[in-house]
Amino acid sequence: MADYKAPLRDMRFVLNEVFEVATTWAQLPALADTVDAETVEAILEEAGKVTAKSIAPLSRGGDEQGCRWDNTAVFTPDGFPQAYATYAQGGWVGVGGDPIFGGMGMPKAVSAQVEEMINSSSLAFGLYPMLTSGACVSINTHASEALKATYLPKMYSGEWAGSMCLTEAHAGTDLGIIRTKAEPQADGSYKVSGTKIFITGGEHDLTDNIIHLVLAKLPDAPAGPKGISLFLVPKFMVNADGSLGARNTVSCGSIEHKMGIQASATCVMNFDDAVGYLVGEPNRGLAAMFTMMNYERLGVGIQGLASGERSYQNAIEYARDRLQSRAPTGAQAQDKMADPIIVHPDVRRMLLTMKAANEGGRAFSTYVATQLDIAKFSDDAAARERADNLVALLTPVAKAFLSDLGLETTVLGQQVFGGHGYIREWGQEQLVRDVRITQIYEGTNGIQALDLMGRKIVGSGGAFYTLFADEIRGFIASSGTELAEFTKPLSAAVDNLDELTAWVLDRAKTNPNEIGAASVEYLHAFGYMAYAYMWARMAKAAMGKESEEDFYASKLGTARFYFARLLPRIHSLSASVKAGSESLFLLDEALF
């Protein structure tokens, strides 16, 4: 496996030249005095070093060794506790955290780049700080001041970790039927009882304490999702002076044996009258949890991007070194027995598909992160509402499309290696196994597509979509004729999605099955159009600079590849959507 190198040049390009984020931050008073170019540059450089040097070397060994369960205790692979301590001491767990409680206070557009680096270096390792950061978001937004003061400083510092406890054996996506209960106590606390499964980082040896956010139901809760509350349940109780007290009655019953992310502890967690504290309002737990979920869903998409980036770095190094056959146009390496496989058209197709997907995904995730920053920090109500609506629209696309392409790019990277990609020594098969979970957790990609189509498109009457489409049309109108090779197909892609959106909205009025039937292909058509917008913006930022740096020539060449070879996928996807739902219901259940 090639040594991981953080793609800092591309990150700088996206942040500074494509989106000019410093201009956005200057308009957000809460960030204006917190973020500057020098700080961001230092953060990116240091994150690149710690992930490449301290964490990436542990990836393969961690996969081989995995986590170990022993009588409710969980032990992570060799080197993980030490690497986590290094990561935490650098302040990286709290990079986006509230400065009041010891976080760095960086905007999401910056922390998104750090997330990519940590997940490229080791997806399994990156899950531990990711869950902690997400738990902190919910606590900081919804918990009492006392809970925030007690728990956030230790979580931002990385001394304590966090977990998110939603799923139960009988209740996956349908959280309304969970059975975990919370009984009120005279002192204002609650006794939480129930079993949760698939809990990432529910138990481990990386931190002194683990703070679980648990969905449960109060005794008088209404039925369904409107009766869910959120509780903070610590592994160890916390004394008044901040020191750790007795062990709470929460334990790990086992860990899952999985396809990938072997170094990430996926736990069955048992809560037996465990002491917990209400976060937010009673019966409003889903709202509090979804504050975290929007950030986590973007983070999962970034995991797909990160895996694709690591796979590409391995594949491009291999393609330059591996000698096999001669180029179709004749020998290129005259002094060698064969040419490097990068000369072959199909290898180039695979590499360019990976490169275009990764760089498009980096731009798109940064765009969504910037909208999250505006929604959180702007003092302009109209700007906040617009950003909120764009985040609502684009979050399911970011989670599902980036992770779907993450699997495609890791498989392509494996394919570049041929037979060597199927054996463990080269690391490519691990990336395929690891990234596969990203399409499943935080809401499967089918659920994300249904959310996009049902809630965000049909639910808003197309208004959220129009907001995004109008922005793209504004970009096209403001671009000169020199960008026509990109803006013309982009305009056609927007027109196509306009038509597709109107078609589904119309058909859904009389047939509710059309929403679910169209959802996955619609999300992918949306994703390719959104990436086209990103690539047009990147092309605009690079155009005219080709002679200054090869980077810009590479960017323009990849943009042309995207528009020529990947954007046309929208046509088959659109045809599938317009085929309607009828063919899905031709077979009676017994005929399957």
Side-chain angles (χ1 to χ4, degrees), residues 88-146:
Q89 288 163 10
W92 299 111
V93 178
V95 67
D98 191 335
I100 293 174
F101 301 104
M104 286 192 198
M106 290 298 105
K108 184 64 177 178
V110 174
S111 64
Q113 316 307 319
V114 177
E115 288 176 36
E116 181 192 330
M117 289 185 250
I118 185 67
N119 287 305
S120 280
S121 63
S122 170
L123 183 56
F125 185 99
L127 284 164
Y128 296 105
M130 175 186 176
L131 267 294
T132 301
S133 298
C136 288
V137 169
S138 282
I139 294 169
N140 197 33
T141 305
H142 298 284
S144 67
E145 292 302 318

Side-chain angles (χ1 to χ4, degrees), residues 245-573:
R247 174 77 183 250
N248 205 353
T249 50
V250 52
S251 62
C252 176
S254 65
I255 58 175
E256 305 293 350
H257 303 283
K258 310 183 296 287
M259 175 180 175
I261 54 170
Q262 304 294 345
S264 171
T266 306
C267 304
V268 174
M269 299 302 299
N270 298 315
F271 299 87
D272 300 299
D273 283 338
V275 177
Y277 307 96
L278 183 68
V279 175
E281 300 176 22
N283 304 323
R284 294 280 295 162
L286 278 186
M289 186 62 81
F290 272 99
T291 300
M292 174 184 184
M293 291 286 278
N294 273 339
Y295 277 79
E296 297 288 16
R297 284 174 173 169
L298 174 58
V300 172
I302 291 172
Q303 289 177 351
L305 159 65
S307 300
E309 172 64 29
R310 189 74 186 274
S311 183
Y312 175 75
Q313 290 190 18
N314 294 341
I316 188 64
E317 181 175 290
Y318 186 83
R320 287 171 173 152
D321 292 341
R322 176 69 168 173
L323 302 179
Q324 289 284 279
S325 305
R326 291 297 187 183
T329 53
Q332 303 296 302
Q334 299 283 355
D335 59 333
K336 296 178 180 177
M337 62 181 179
D339 289 327
I341 61 173
I342 198 171
V343 304
H344 301 300
D346 190 54
V347 173
R348 285 176 165 259
R349 174 192 64 83
M350 291 188 285
L351 292 171
L352 279 165
T353 298
M354 297 169 73
K355 190 174 191 296
N358 292 341
E359 294 176 15
R362 185 171 297 116
F364 184 61
S365 60
T366 303
Y367 174 87
V368 177
T370 301
Q371 300 305 318
L372 279 166
D373 291 332
I374 295 170
K376 180 178 180 180
F377 294 112
S378 179
D379 57 0
D380 182 329
R384 286 199 309 273
E385 181 181 11
R386 181 181 184 278
D388 267 330
N389 291 340
L390 282 173
V391 168
L393 174 73
L394 299 176
T395 294
V397 182
K399 191 278 180 184
F401 194 63
L402 267 74
S403 59
D404 281 346
L405 287 189
L407 179 64
E408 179 179 351
T409 52
T410 54
V411 169
L412 285 173
Q414 184 184 39
Q415 194 73 13
V416 168
F417 278 70
H420 291 288
Y422 197 68
I423 59 177
R424 290 190 176 185
E425 284 80 352
W426 292 90
Q428 292 296 72
E429 61 86 33
Q430 179 190 338
L431 293 171
V432 175
R433 288 186 290 105
D434 284 355
V435 79
R436 183 64 182 88
I437 187 60
T438 63
Q439 297 173 298
I440 296 172
Y441 59 18
E442 303 296 345
T444 66
N445 285 0
I447 293 295
Q448 301 301 319
L450 195 59
D451 177 45
L452 172 68
M453 191 79 264
R455 293 178 180 169
K456 310 306 168 52
I457 300 297
V458 176
S460 74
F464 289 0
Y465 165 74
T466 300
L467 193 66
F468 189 53
D470 285 349
E471 177 183 319
I472 299 173
R473 287 196 170 90
F475 167 80
I476 293 170
S478 67
S479 300
T481 56
E482 68 276 5
L483 209 66
E485 65 174 300
F486 305 110
T487 54
K488 186 175 179 179
L490 173 59
S491 180
V494 178
D495 290 344
N496 174 75
L497 203 60
D498 283 351
E499 181 184 346
L500 208 58
T501 302
W503 188 92
V504 176
L505 286 169
D506 180 64
R507 293 288 289 260
K509 293 176 183 176
T510 56
N511 185 356
N513 280 330
E514 294 296 351
I515 296 173
S519 59
V520 169
E521 285 88 354
Y522 179 90
L523 184 145
H524 278 208
F526 192 116
Y528 284 112
M529 184 274 286
Y531 274 35
Y533 177 38
M534 298 298 107
W535 271 111
R537 291 188 66 159
M538 288 190 282
K540 185 174 184 177
M543 190 164 284
K545 301 177 183 177
E546 302 94 310
S547 61
E548 299 176 14
E549 187 182 345
D550 288 345
F551 173 88
Y552 296 111
S554 174
K555 189 66 66 176
L556 286 168
T558 309
R560 292 180 175 114
F561 171 85
Y562 180 84
F563 279 93
R565 298 296 296 261
L566 298 186
L567 183 59
R569 294 181 181 184
I570 63 174
H571 301 303
S572 62
L573 292 165

